[in-house]
Amino acid sequence: QVQLVESGGGVVQPGGSLRLSCAASGFTFSTYGIHWVRQAPGKGLEWVGVISFDGVNKIYADSVKGRFTISRDNSENTSFLQLTSLRPEDTAVYYCAKDPVLTAGTPSHYMDVWGKGTTVTVSS
Amino acid sequence: AIRMTQSPSSVSASIGERVAITCRASEDIRSYVAWYQQKPGKTPKLLIHTASTLRSGVPSRFSGSGSGADFTLTISSLQSEDFATYYCQQYYAFPQTFGQGTKVNIE
């Protein structure tokens, strides 16, 4: 079945870096955009950014622009979220989620499949 | 960024009751709204997209309505498995934004 599995979370000091992975299976990964969404403890959902199916287009939330980078390796069916210059307010569960539209150059849609998330804690 | 304001922030209801959750956008977003259900410690699950299109496999007691700036998620007859937090999301423009969530509690 269609599945997304995040990994790479952990505890990091303020100013540190981390790379999250999102491994996909059960669908043709190279034809769908991937979103990243986060949820701080006890809070709501915050969209972080999206990468198009071919990796050409990447769009970020203002809160992470210049610090986070989304990439993908279609040969490995994996998307990545590189987190740098981390702040305590970046502490959250990070989810990857699939855009539902095939080969969308600008994947601005809802998210039809979500992973279970990986937890990032930024603390000294 | 487009603001999505949900109300109420929480609601208590009994099994079999009808529950309505509203979401107001800060500008016209046509019908580019999705609704998600999230149970504690679990991943969000898509219920409805394009304001009123029920995702395949979602029970028909869930329905969505609205267009422009005002949207509603209705649960026609609340079941025990529906106790969760519900989020609206706009995907009309970047950055995509979510409502703050509505927690549906057992009365």
Side-chain angles (χ1 to χ4, degrees), chain B:
Chain B
I2 297 172
R3 266 189 335 274
M4 301 295 282
T5 304
Q6 277 184 243
S7 61
S9 55
S10 67
V11 59
S12 293
S14 302
I15 302 294
E17 259 192 80
R18 179 179 177 277
V19 172
I21 299 167
T22 63
C23 188
R24 173 163 286 179
S26 59
E27 61 185 81
D28 186 341
I29 57 171
R30 297 169 62 183
S31 295
Y32 293 103
V33 162
W35 290 93
Y36 301 88
Q37 176 194 65
Q38 186 178 34
K39 296 182 180 178
K42 300 294 186 183
T43 196
K45 173 187 164 186
L46 174 69
L47 298 175
I48 286 167
H49 64 86
T50 326
S52 60
T53 302
L54 198 66
R55 187 187 188 181
S56 175
V58 174
S60 59
R61 63 181 179 274
F62 291 94
S63 65
S65 63
S67 66
D70 291 304
F71 303 88
T72 302
L73 172 70
T74 302
I75 309 172
S76 60
S77 177
L78 198 65
Q79 302 301 302
S80 58
E81 60 266 32
D82 302 335
F83 293 98
T85 299
Y86 295 84
Y87 295 94
C88 60
Q89 175 219 356
Q90 68 80 20
Y91 51 97
Y92 176 74
F94 288 120
Q96 297 185 357
T97 45
F98 292 87
Q100 78 276 19
T102 295
K103 188 173 182 182
V104 177
N105 299 300
I106 302 172
E107 187 166 54

Side-chain angles (χ1 to χ4, degrees), chain A residues 35 37 39 43-47 50 59-62 95 99 106-117, chain B residues 32 34 36 38 41-46 48-50 55 87 89 91-101:
Chain A
H35 298 263
V37 177
Q39 186 169 35
K43 302 295 184 183
L45 301 168
E46 180 187 13
W47 180 82
V50 66
I59 303 166
Y60 300 94
D62 285 347
Y95 298 98
D99 192 273
T106 304
S108 180
H109 308 98
Y110 54 93
M111 300 125 195
D112 62 350
V113 178
W114 296 59
K116 289 184 173 11
Chain B
Y32 293 103
Y36 301 88
Q38 186 178 34
K42 300 294 186 183
T43 196
K45 173 187 164 186
L46 174 69
I48 286 167
H49 64 86
T50 326
R55 187 187 188 181
Y87 295 94
Q89 175 219 356
Y91 51 97
Y92 176 74
F94 288 120
Q96 297 185 357
T97 45
F98 292 87
Q100 78 276 19

Side-chain angles (χ1 to χ4, degrees), chain A residues 49-70:
Chain A
V50 66
I51 185 167
S52 60
F53 71 101
D54 54 5
V56 169
N57 289 319
K58 304 169 193 181
I59 303 166
Y60 300 94
D62 285 347
S63 59
V64 307
K65 202 175 294 182
R67 300 189 301 123
F68 291 7
T69 303
I70 303 173

Side-chain angles (χ1 to χ4, degrees), chain A:
Chain A
Q1 76 275 23
V2 177
Q3 194 171 8
L4 297 169
V5 179
E6 302 90 339
S7 61
V11 180
V12 60
Q13 291 190 338
S17 299
L18 214 52
R19 189 173 90 149
L20 309 182
S21 298
C22 169
S25 59
F27 66 102
T28 307
F29 179 74
S30 62
T31 58
Y32 291 94
I34 295 292
H35 298 263
W36 287 87
V37 177
R38 67 184 180 182
Q39 186 169 35
K43 302 295 184 183
L45 301 168
E46 180 187 13
W47 180 82
V48 170
V50 66
I51 185 167
S52 60
F53 71 101
D54 54 5
V56 169
N57 289 319
K58 304 169 193 181
I59 303 166
Y60 300 94
D62 285 347
S63 59
V64 307
K65 202 175 294 182
R67 300 189 301 123
F68 291 7
T69 303
I70 303 173
S71 61
R72 64 189 297 156
D73 182 343
N74 284 344
S75 67
E76 295 292 329
N77 291 342
T78 302
S79 175
F80 304 98
L81 179 64
Q82 179 73 44
L83 292 69
T84 63
S85 302
L86 281 162
R87 306 165 180 167
E89 56 264 35
D90 295 318
T91 294
V93 175
Y94 285 75
Y95 298 98
C96 62
K98 175 183 159 291
D99 192 273
V101 177
L102 195 64
T103 59
T106 304
S108 180
H109 308 98
Y110 54 93
M111 300 125 195
D112 62 350
V113 178
W114 296 59
K116 289 184 173 11
T118 187
T119 301
V120 173
T121 303
V122 184
S123 173
S124 53

